[in-house]
């Protein structure tokens, strides 16, 4: 079902159709004048302008465009990086606060029917504080005196490489979002969340491992790779949702929702890759 904004837009559709309606009004107006009644008469010059007018774009009608999503996502990513860099250099100890605030704001934004640019921006700031501090903590870890490797930079590069690969697979049609794909991802996500919850419970009761017994060593690497695959699949789902939003003509304000969803998935993807790199380099 199309969005009401799409259906009720005064400028939607072929401008020639608008010209035809004007021509009929001119004909009806002329007939009314001959019959003794008055009616609107559209001049020939006005009809010419209507015929020659360019087709209305999505921006003209206030509907969602890919440019809207790109601009909003790029702006939020830039803000995230700036805040993370500032936290890394000046206040890395604030990352637990950023994690809590980010979790709360993430839930609030996820359940809002209409996007709030202010709350989404605050969420991004909180995530920047969290990522800046936790990234420095990973970077400063050492194992048996080994030289620290730039795993944060590696994780950033790997995150954007995965994002690019997911976008390529979606755009090329090699991976399509079908009902079967959606069901598979939902089941896998529920299984991953349950597995992670069990790991957290085991950590609370004193089980070993820096990340818990189920997320450490080579088992942690395998689980991390599975999580990266799930995050990549989630990105493809995000792309499909954005595509359907643009095609259905949803209001432009939902570009904020699209950007928020992409940021959430990218943060998750980055953390999983960072954890894998830490384990592989003997920091567990």
């Amino acid at each position: 079902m199309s969005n009401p904004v799409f259906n009720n837009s005064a400028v939607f559709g072929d401008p020639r159709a608008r010209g035809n309606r004007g021509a009929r009004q001119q004909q009806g107006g002329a007939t009314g004048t001959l019959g003794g009644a008055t009616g609107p008469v559209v001049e020939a010059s006005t009809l010419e302008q209507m015929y020659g007018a360019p087709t209305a774009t999505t921006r003209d009608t206030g509907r969602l465009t890919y440019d809207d999503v790109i601009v909003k996502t790029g702006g939020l990513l830039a803000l995230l990086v700036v805040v993370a860099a500032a936290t890394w250099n000046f206040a890395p100890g604030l990352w637990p606060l950023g994690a809590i605030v980010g979790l709360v704001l993430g839930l609030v934004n996820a359940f809002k029917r209409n996007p709030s640019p202010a709350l989404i921006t605050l969420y991004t700031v909180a995530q920047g504080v969290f990522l800046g501090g936790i990234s420095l903590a990973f970077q400063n870890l050492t194992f048996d005196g080994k030289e620290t490797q730039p795993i944060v930079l590696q994780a950033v590069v790997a995150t954007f490489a995965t994002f690019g690969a997911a976008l390529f697979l979606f755009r090329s049609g090699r991976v399509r979002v079908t009902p079967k794909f959606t069901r598979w991802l939902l089941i896998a996500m529920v299984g991953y969340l349950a597995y992670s919850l069990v790991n957290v419970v085991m950590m609370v009761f004193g089980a070993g491992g820096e990340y818990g017994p189920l997320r450490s060593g080579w088992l942690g690497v395998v689980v991390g790779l599975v999580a990266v695959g799930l995050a990549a699949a989630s990105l493809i789902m995000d792309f499909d949702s954005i595509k359907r939003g643009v095609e259905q003509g949803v209001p432009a304000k939902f570009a904020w929702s699209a950007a928020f969803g992409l940021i959430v998935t990218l943060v998750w993807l980055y953390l999983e890759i960072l954890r894998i790199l830490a384990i592989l380099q003997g920091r567990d």
Side-chain angles (χ1 to χ4, degrees):
M1 180 177 181
S2 300
N3 190 277
V5 175
F6 183 92
N7 287 333
N8 298 329
S9 175
V11 294
F12 174 74
D14 189 349
R16 293 181 182 273
R18 296 194 297 271
N20 290 336
R21 287 196 298 268
R24 287 194 296 270
Q25 289 177 352
Q26 181 186 23
Q27 181 180 3
T31 303
T33 301
L34 290 175
T38 59
V41 178
V42 181
E43 298 180 355
S45 59
T46 302
L47 283 175
E48 185 67 26
Q49 291 177 357
M50 295 173 71
Y51 274 109
T55 303
T57 65
T58 52
R59 186 173 299 278
D60 296 329
T61 58
R63 290 182 279 122
L64 181 67
T65 67
Y66 292 116
D67 287 344
D68 291 333
V69 177
I70 292 172
V71 170
K72 299 294 189 303
T73 304
L76 291 178
L77 275 177
L79 177 62
L80 181 71
V81 171
V82 170
V83 174
T87 304
W88 174 298
N89 288 287
F90 303 110
L94 292 178
W95 72 264
L97 177 62
I100 295 172
V101 174
L103 176 62
V104 172
L105 290 176
L107 292 174
V108 170
N109 283 306
F111 288 101
K112 282 183 66 66
R113 295 187 61 183
N114 291 304
S116 170
L119 290 179
I120 292 174
T121 301
L122 289 175
Y123 164 82
T124 304
V125 171
Q127 288 295 78
V129 172
F130 167 61
L131 291 183
I134 199 68
S135 297
L136 182 61
F138 271 101
Q139 187 65 50
N140 288 339
L141 288 172
T142 58
F143 183 77
D144 291 339
K146 291 182 180 179
E147 180 181 356
T148 302
Q149 299 296 320
I151 62 172
V152 172
L153 178 60
Q154 294 170 2
V156 170
V157 173
T159 297
F160 283 102
T162 305
F163 178 88
L167 181 59
F168 170 77
L169 290 173
F170 174 74
R171 293 280 295 178
S172 65
R174 287 177 169 81
V175 177
R176 299 180 60 187
V177 178
T178 61
K180 183 177 180 180
F181 179 91
T182 304
R183 288 193 300 270
W184 168 83
L185 181 59
L186 178 61
I187 294 172
M189 288 286 290
V190 171
Y192 170 77
L193 290 175
Y195 185 92
S196 299
L197 180 60
V198 171
N199 184 62
V200 171
V201 171
M202 294 178 71
M203 288 180 64
V204 171
F205 286 96
E210 183 73 20
Y211 313 112
L214 302 181
R215 295 300 306 268
S216 303
W218 285 107
L219 177 60
V221 173
V222 173
V223 175
L225 291 174
V226 172
V228 168
L230 293 177
S234 296
L235 281 174
I236 293 175
M237 288 283 292
D238 293 342
F239 298 148
D240 184 69
S241 296
I242 294 169
K243 180 175 180 288
R244 286 187 285 108
V246 171
E247 291 176 347
Q248 294 175 6
V250 302
K253 64 182 180 181
F254 285 98
W256 285 101
S257 297
F260 167 70
L262 289 174
I263 292 295
V264 170
T265 307
L266 286 173
V267 168
W268 173 34
L269 177 62
Y270 168 78
L271 290 173
E272 293 294 347
I273 293 175
L274 189 63
R275 192 199 311 266
I276 292 173
L277 292 175
I279 296 173
L280 289 177
Q281 296 195 22
R283 290 179 168 81
D284 183 36

